[in-house]
Amino acid sequence: MNAARYLLLPWWIAQLPTGAKAFCDNPVIGSPMLNRRGLHVARVRTAAALAAQRRSRLARLVSPDDRAAFDRDGFVLKRDVLPASDFAELRRQVFDRRAPAREMLQGDTITRRIALDPRALAAMPAVARLLGSAEWRGLMRYVGSYDSEPIAYVQTILSQVNDREPDPQTALHADTFHPTVKAWLFLTDVAEDEGPFVYVPGSHRMTPARLEWERQRSIVAATQLDRLSARGSLRVEAEELGALGLPEPKAFAVPANTLVVADTSGFHARGPSLRPSMRIEIWSYGRRNPFLPWAGLDPLSLPGIAERRASLAWALRDRLSAIVGQPWADVGLKTPDAPANPHAKAG
């Protein structure tokens, strides 16, 4: 066993200048000794500095107001992002669309996604116009710190579909140790007690207090924290925010046609739902190697590749599922706002 660990050491070290984040999977990334001496903090600090440099080169893509809002809060919120008639047409096209979807069950919540691939975008030109608009593209690139094309889906969140434990996404957490971008254009009204997006304003900044918190967590993450923290998505308790100089979490109880674009290295969560509920949105995310000094040169953003990534990933996952297993289930053709059985388990 020790010999095997030594043989794998070059592979584990090679992951350090990448987005690899799981403390439990890589004994170098998860080393208590190395993290006590600052390895994890060095990765966090370097990734944040490089993201700031890349954003400075992409600042022209967003308005000064949006740039100031993001730099202050870690997110940009825009109500009535589309003209009312355009939004009504986009909703009609999405809700009339029947397409293959995938579902994932986490605790008492189902996440359902329809890939916005070339076939879907041809059938929903209003969605294609949204994803190609200067405002959408600019915000995704500035917040994500890369001139890269994100992956997009129609996403439906079905809460309280069973009596299992709560959805683990309701715990405040950071997705990973480096800046990333996610966006939500809500197609339905979101009530405060029906699973709203939640974000801790300003938590995207790697302050001395946050860096010390990261250091302390990294020392014990591999063996003494919960499963998702051990895999690199560190959880934080609301009671800890004050010591980090952070305010209370903000719940985005917003009307339909509201856009939120956020850096999910900041603390965020899916708010709890007090009853069975459904949230429908255009959802998009982008994530690249955090240690690249350049903002562009992304081969996965090339036309013909960018819009097919979700479908290709699903096909690859299908091939691998028999070997390693995976939590996504193909649920066939579904209408996103009228699930065949919103209280059934995925698969």
Side-chain angles (χ1 to χ4, degrees):
M1 180 65 71
N2 289 335
R5 289 174 66 88
Y6 280 117
L7 289 174
L8 288 172
L9 184 60
W11 167 247
W12 290 327
I13 292 175
Q15 293 181 35
L16 290 177
T18 74
K21 64 175 185 173
F23 299 98
C24 59
D25 291 345
N26 183 317
V28 175
I29 290 175
S31 167
M33 179 188 69
L34 293 177
N35 287 331
R36 192 175 288 111
R37 297 185 178 187
L39 173 63
H40 175 68
V41 168
R43 296 181 81 216
V44 173
R45 195 193 301 271
T46 301
L50 287 169
Q53 293 175 15
R54 292 190 300 267
R55 283 180 180 136
S56 70
R57 297 196 290 273
L58 299 169
R60 69 188 186 283
L61 300 178
V62 295
S63 71
D65 287 347
D66 288 345
R67 191 162 62 245
F70 171 77
D71 294 349
R72 179 187 66 240
D73 297 326
F75 61 83
V76 177
L77 182 149
K78 301 180 81 67
R79 297 175 185 266
D80 299 318
V81 70
L82 293 175
S85 59
D86 292 352
F87 182 67
E89 177 60 18
L90 183 147
R91 272 175 50 105
R92 185 195 65 77
Q93 292 178 13
V94 170
F95 292 172
D96 286 350
R97 172 70 175 164
R98 296 178 63 82
R102 298 294 176 96
E103 288 184 349
M104 178 172 62
L105 178 66
Q106 290 184 295
D108 64 1
T109 299
I110 287 175
T111 300
R112 175 182 298 157
R113 291 179 187 156
I114 295 173
L116 291 175
D117 57 17
R119 180 177 297 181
L121 293 174
M124 297 183 288
V127 177
R129 287 193 295 272
L130 168 73
L131 300 184
S133 67
E135 184 170 53
W136 178 279
R137 288 169 56 84
L139 284 170
M140 291 297 295
R141 282 155 173 74
Y142 181 75
V143 174
S145 83
Y146 277 109
D147 186 9
S148 296
E149 197 64 32
I151 299 177
Y153 302 85
V154 175
Q155 176 169 276
T156 303
I157 308 296
L158 301 163
S159 299
Q160 292 200 9
V161 298
N162 57 41
D163 295 326
R164 293 177 58 173
E165 68 276 6
D167 175 8
Q169 300 305 319
T170 59
L172 284 171
H173 62 280
D175 280 352
T176 187
F177 69 92
H178 60 86
T180 60
V181 60
K182 288 182 178 176
W184 299 257
L185 174 63
F186 298 106
L187 304 186
T188 53
D189 295 341
V190 182
E192 189 165 7
D193 58 357
E194 292 187 344
F197 176 63
V198 173
Y199 196 92
V200 179
S203 60
H204 66 305
R205 292 192 293 270
M206 295 300 142
T207 63
R210 172 68 182 272
L211 289 172
E212 177 58 23
W213 181 90
E214 292 274 345
R215 189 182 77 87
Q216 294 293 339
R217 281 294 196 278
S218 70
I219 294 169
V220 298
T223 58
Q224 299 181 36
L225 298 183
D226 61 274
R227 180 180 63 87
L228 293 174
S229 291
R231 298 199 62 78
S233 180
L234 293 174
R235 267 51 188 161
V236 65
E237 297 294 332
E239 294 76 16
E240 298 178 80
L241 297 177
L244 294 173
L246 295 171
E248 292 292 314
K250 173 182 173 63
F252 291 81
V254 294
N257 200 15
T258 297
L259 172 66
V260 177
V261 185
D263 177 354
T264 53
S265 69
F267 297 131
H268 64 285
R270 183 181 299 146
S273 183
L274 302 185
R275 62 187 66 84
S277 63
M278 181 166 58
R279 197 181 86 193
I280 306 173
E281 57 219 14
I282 304 296
W283 180 80
S284 186
Y285 80 95
R287 183 182 300 182
R288 288 186 72 186
N289 184 325
F291 299 111
L292 300 177
W294 54 83
L297 301 177
D298 180 14
L300 295 180
S301 292
L302 293 173
I305 298 176
E307 63 273 22
R308 289 179 168 84
R309 283 175 296 170
S311 299
L312 291 172
W314 283 356
L316 177 62
R317 188 180 291 117
D318 289 343
R319 291 183 178 274
L320 295 176
S321 61
I323 301 173
V324 300
Q326 49 91 17
W328 289 90
D330 190 344
V331 298
L333 297 174
K334 297 281 188 178
T335 304
D337 65 330
N341 182 358
H343 299 294
K345 292 183 179 180

